[in-house]
């Protein structure tokens, strides 16, 4: 039984993580530490014990692993503390906002034989396997991936540069993950344009273009100051394929794939799935299996390299 501690009490922790985690065998939601009492009733009602502070929880012998859902700037600090105290670490995305910090955490995890996992939960939804199969079967030239949402208010951490905010760190990483999954590890960066906001000093939206060795092109668009979009589209020789809710297909959502052949549109309805639960189960598996553990190390490092490359090659526009 893995005893899990929550470092931070975020919206995603209480609204998405706890309901799914309660369904995972071999996992006990042991405790939490938070600097606010905003969600104390929810934790208490689920039998999750409050600890004095992050340090006390991280150092506790009653905790085997931690789930960190703090603003991105704090990920490295508390993940490192957890690893040095012998705890497995499940981090919300982005893993860190600095490639060297990510490498440091990976090295510590390797030295101490500890599991680490970056919670890009959408990768663990069964619809992704279906999407991969479609893409590999059809002759597709273009991929369009869009993920963005309206302005959430200036108090949201995403609009605070000091907290690691910005669209790239938040939704941009999702689009890069999905592009890599489809185009392959050898995909080449063609361009990246990010649009910065002078008032918040964070990027509000951006566009990335990748290609691979067989000439398939992916256009990625993401933002946090625009109407809501959450979709992937394949433009193929004979079909157009569109999937909504590709990143946030909740446990009660029925995924549907629209396939247009130039004359008719067919809709394939898939099974419901809980990608949060699946991601947590993957984390537990990485604790138990060296093969999965080392696969996680590589996946986290490869994604961090891509994010680093993008940061170094961005064309920046201010508005």
């Amino acid at each position: 039984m893995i005893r899990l501690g929550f470092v931070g009490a975020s919206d995603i922790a209480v609204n998405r993580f706890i309901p799914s985690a309660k369904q995972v065998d071999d996992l006990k939601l042991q405790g939490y530490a938070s600097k606010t009492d905003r969600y104390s009733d929810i934790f208490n009602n689920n039998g999750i014990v409050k600890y004095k502070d992050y340090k006390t929880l991280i150092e506790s012998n009653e905790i085997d692993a931690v789930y960190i859902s703090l603003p991105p700037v704090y990920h490295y600090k508390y993940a490192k503390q957890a690893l040095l105290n012998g705890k497995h670490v499940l981090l919300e995305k982005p893993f860190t906002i600095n490639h060297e910090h990510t490498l440091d955490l990976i090295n510590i995890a390797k030295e101490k034989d500890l599991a680490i996992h970056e919670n890009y939960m959408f990768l663990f939804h069964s619809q992704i396997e279906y999407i991969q199969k479609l893409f590999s079967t059809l002759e597709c030239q273009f991929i369009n991936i869009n993920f963005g949402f309206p302005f959430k208010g200036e108090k949201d951490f995403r609009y605070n540069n000091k907290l690691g905010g910005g669209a790239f760190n938040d939704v941009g990483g999702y689009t890069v993950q999905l592009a890599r999954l489809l185009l392959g590890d050898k995909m080449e960066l063609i361009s990246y344009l990010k649009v910065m906001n002078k008032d918040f000093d964070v990027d509000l939206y951006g566009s990335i273009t990748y290609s691979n060795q067989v000439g398939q092109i992916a256009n990625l668009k993401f933002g946090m100051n625009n109407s809501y979009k959450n979709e992937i589209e394949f433009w193929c020789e004979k079909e157009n394929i569109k999937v909504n809710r590709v990143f946030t297909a909740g446990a009660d959502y029925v995924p549907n794939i629209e396939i247009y052949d130039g004359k008719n549109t067919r809709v394939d309805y898939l099974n419901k799935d809980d990608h949060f639960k699946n991601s947590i189960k993957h984390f537990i598996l990485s604790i138990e299996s060296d093969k999965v553990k080392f696969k996680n190390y590589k996946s986290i490092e490869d994604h961090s390299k891509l994010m680093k490359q993008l940061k170094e090659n961005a064309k920046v526009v201010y508005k």
Side-chain angles (χ1 to χ4, degrees):
M1 181 69 68
I2 301 299
R3 299 166 298 176
L4 184 75
F6 291 76
V7 178
S10 64
D11 292 348
I12 196 169
V14 299
N15 295 326
R16 303 298 302 279
F17 193 93
I18 289 177
S20 296
K22 288 169 63 178
Q23 303 176 51
V24 176
D25 295 334
D26 300 323
L27 181 66
K28 175 179 174 56
L29 305 184
Q30 175 67 29
Y32 78 101
S34 175
K35 294 186 177 180
T36 74
D37 293 323
R38 182 181 175 192
Y39 291 118
S40 59
D41 287 347
I42 295 177
F43 281 100
N44 294 336
N45 291 339
N46 282 282
I48 306 171
V49 179
K50 184 172 185 179
Y51 283 69
K52 178 183 176 182
D53 50 34
Y54 301 153
K55 184 176 185 292
T56 303
L57 183 144
I58 287 171
E59 293 180 353
S60 172
N61 292 328
E62 300 172 332
I63 300 293
D64 303 307
V66 298
Y67 168 59
I68 301 174
S69 60
L70 299 169
V73 74
Y74 300 117
H75 286 189
Y76 173 66
K77 175 181 178 180
Y78 291 107
K80 184 171 184 176
Q81 287 182 17
L83 291 170
L84 291 175
N85 278 276
K87 317 299 184 189
H88 306 285
V89 175
L90 198 170
L91 266 174
E92 273 302 333
K93 61 278 162 195
F95 197 73
T96 75
I97 55 175
N98 179 293
H99 181 60
E100 286 67 34
H101 286 172
T102 293
L103 293 180
D104 188 35
L105 294 181
I106 293 171
N107 289 333
I108 295 171
K110 286 180 178 179
E111 290 171 6
K112 292 186 169 290
D113 192 28
L114 294 168
I116 52 176
H117 180 44
E118 185 173 18
N119 195 33
Y120 278 107
M121 66 286 176
F122 80 93
L123 294 170
F124 300 92
H125 196 292
S126 54
Q127 72 170 344
I128 294 298
E129 184 177 351
Y130 189 91
I131 290 168
Q132 284 182 281
K133 190 175 295 184
L134 268 180
F135 183 70
S136 63
T137 302
L138 303 174
E139 296 293 329
C140 299
Q141 291 89 12
F142 294 98
I143 308 170
N144 295 311
I145 304 173
N146 302 310
F147 193 20
F149 49 80
F151 182 63
K152 288 182 174 290
E154 61 184 34
K155 292 184 178 180
D156 189 281
F157 76 86
R158 295 169 181 83
Y159 303 93
N160 189 330
N161 181 52
K162 294 180 180 178
L163 294 179
F168 178 74
N169 284 334
D170 195 71
V171 284
Y174 282 84
T175 65
V176 174
Q177 282 277 18
L178 188 50
R180 178 165 69 103
L181 186 70
L182 295 169
L183 290 184
D185 290 332
K186 295 183 180 180
M187 68 180 187
E188 179 183 354
L189 176 63
I190 305 302
S191 65
Y192 170 34
L193 172 68
K194 69 175 180 180
V195 180
M196 299 286 294
N197 180 275
K198 295 177 181 178
D199 296 327
F200 298 116
D201 194 28
V202 297
D203 59 304
L204 289 180
Y205 55 93
S207 176
I208 300 169
T209 301
Y210 281 112
S211 68
N212 63 10
Q213 64 272 25
V214 296
Q216 293 169 314
I217 301 169
N219 295 304
L220 288 50
K221 296 179 179 65
F222 53 89
M224 54 185 200
N225 192 38
N226 37 276
S227 62
Y228 187 76
K229 271 198 173 187
N230 178 355
E231 63 190 19
I232 183 170
E233 181 184 26
F234 300 148
W235 188 4
C236 311
E237 283 191 359
K238 298 180 180 180
E239 301 94 351
N240 290 333
I241 316 294
K242 186 176 181 180
V243 185
N244 288 308
R245 298 285 296 276
V246 68
F247 298 114
T248 62
D252 294 327
Y253 178 74
V254 178
N256 57 88
I257 318 293
E258 297 179 12
I259 303 173
Y260 176 66
D261 63 6
K263 295 182 179 179
N264 301 297
T265 298
R266 182 181 94 237
V267 180
D268 290 351
Y269 293 95
L270 309 182
N271 294 327
K272 297 178 183 179
D273 200 10
D274 188 339
H275 56 189
F276 252 93
K277 182 176 73 174
N278 296 340
S279 182
I280 297 166
K281 288 172 68 175
H282 179 84
F283 174 57
I284 301 300
L285 184 60
S286 70
I287 294 174
E288 301 168 347
S289 166
D290 285 342
K291 181 179 180 181
V292 178
K293 187 184 303 175
F294 277 86
K295 186 177 180 180
N296 270 13
Y297 295 156
K298 184 178 187 305
S299 177
I300 292 168
E301 181 175 351
D302 288 348
H303 181 65
S304 182
K305 285 179 181 177
L306 289 176
M307 298 296 274
K308 178 177 184 287
Q309 179 194 38
L310 287 162
K311 290 176 183 177
E312 293 173 345
N313 291 277
K315 178 180 178 180
V316 183
V317 174
Y318 282 86
K319 64 174 296 183

